[in-house]
Amino acid sequence: MKILIIGGTGTIGKVITKHFKKNNEVIVAGRSSLEYPVDIKDSKSIAHLLQKIGKLDALICLAGEAKWDAFDSLSEEDFYVGIKSKLMGQVNLVKLALPFLNDNGSITLSTGILADHPVPLTTSAAMVNGAIHSFVKALKEDSYQHTCRVNAVSLGLVEDAYEKYKDYFVDHTPISMDTAVQAYTKVVEGDQNGEIIKVYS
């Protein structure tokens, strides 16, 4: 398969990329990439990347950010960070990428446990994660008929990010990186459509 991974150099992304590179042609894109730069907040940037790469069998997005802070401290602009990046960035990615996907191709978005189990300081992040879940489920029911499958993987705190985030996720057992890889493999190689693959401890 020819697979585009956006955000393939991050904590989870680099592990996912290593796995899929074993048996597939993998293209890694991101804000810091010299060969395949992309900013998912910018539709023109997404379109330029897709035109450069051409037809794909699968697209995985591991990019997107949101502001973490107490609700009383979040400004309207703070909320727009997550809305423009993790939410609309992924929505626009789907919209623009569908014509580039081969028949029976797949798009896999990324959210996280905050959609269902928020912790302090995550009002904005939880909001956009939940919105992506609703988007993926609704897209399956949309009258626009396409042959591409669109799903989302929602992970709990992963092992490789445990030290950084453990103080926020008290009493959470970290998800192994192998388990994270299995979740993404399941939707890329399977037949799921409009599903949220939740991997929580």
Side-chain angles (χ1 to χ4, degrees):
M1 288 190 293
K2 183 179 179 181
I3 304 174
L4 169 61
I5 301 179
I6 298 179
T9 60
T11 301
I12 300 172
K14 61 186 178 183
V15 179
I16 301 299
T17 297
K18 181 179 178 181
H19 168 76
F20 281 108
K21 275 188 172 181
K22 294 175 183 176
N23 299 302
N24 304 280
E25 176 189 355
V26 175
I27 298 167
V28 178
R31 286 183 298 183
S32 60
S33 173
L34 297 178
E35 187 173 6
Y36 296 104
V38 66
D39 181 354
I40 65 169
K41 298 191 302 296
D42 183 348
S43 295
K44 291 181 180 179
S45 177
I46 295 172
H48 182 267
L49 172 70
L50 293 168
Q51 289 164 6
K52 180 177 181 179
I53 293 172
K55 285 291 188 176
L56 295 165
D57 296 301
L59 187 158
I60 302 170
C61 182
L62 294 139
E65 59 186 345
K67 183 73 179 288
W68 282 42
D69 206 343
F71 177 72
D72 289 346
S73 299
L74 288 168
S75 66
E76 181 176 350
E77 289 304 315
D78 288 335
F79 277 100
Y80 284 139
V81 171
I83 291 171
K84 291 178 180 179
S85 178
K86 194 162 191 179
L87 175 53
M88 287 309 302
Q90 294 195 94
V91 170
N92 286 330
L93 190 60
V94 172
K95 184 107 176 152
L96 294 169
L98 283 174
F100 289 87
L101 268 292
N102 292 321
D103 287 347
N104 301 313
S106 71
I107 298 176
T108 305
L109 307 181
S110 297
T111 59
I113 192 172
L114 298 176
D116 295 303
H117 304 287
V119 298
L121 308 181
T122 61
T123 305
S124 178
M127 178 185 74
V128 296
N129 282 349
I132 287 292
H133 287 190
S134 296
F135 166 72
V136 168
K137 290 186 287 186
L139 188 63
K140 182 181 178 181
E141 308 301 326
D142 198 287
S143 58
Y144 173 66
Q145 298 298 311
H146 53 79
T147 61
C148 175
R149 300 177 295 108
V150 181
N151 299 284
V153 171
S154 183
L155 299 178
L157 176 63
V158 296
E159 285 178 342
D160 288 6
Y162 179 71
E163 287 302 319
K164 183 176 181 180
Y165 291 104
K166 64 181 180 180
D167 291 339
Y168 296 102
F169 293 90
V170 180
D171 297 329
H172 284 241
T173 302
I175 303 299
S176 73
M177 300 310 294
D178 284 344
T179 301
V181 168
Q182 290 170 14
Y184 282 90
T185 303
K186 178 179 181 179
V187 290
V188 172
E189 299 180 355
D191 59 3
Q192 296 86 355
N193 185 30
E195 294 189 22
I196 314 302
I197 308 303
K198 299 180 180 181
V199 186
Y200 304 157
S201 58

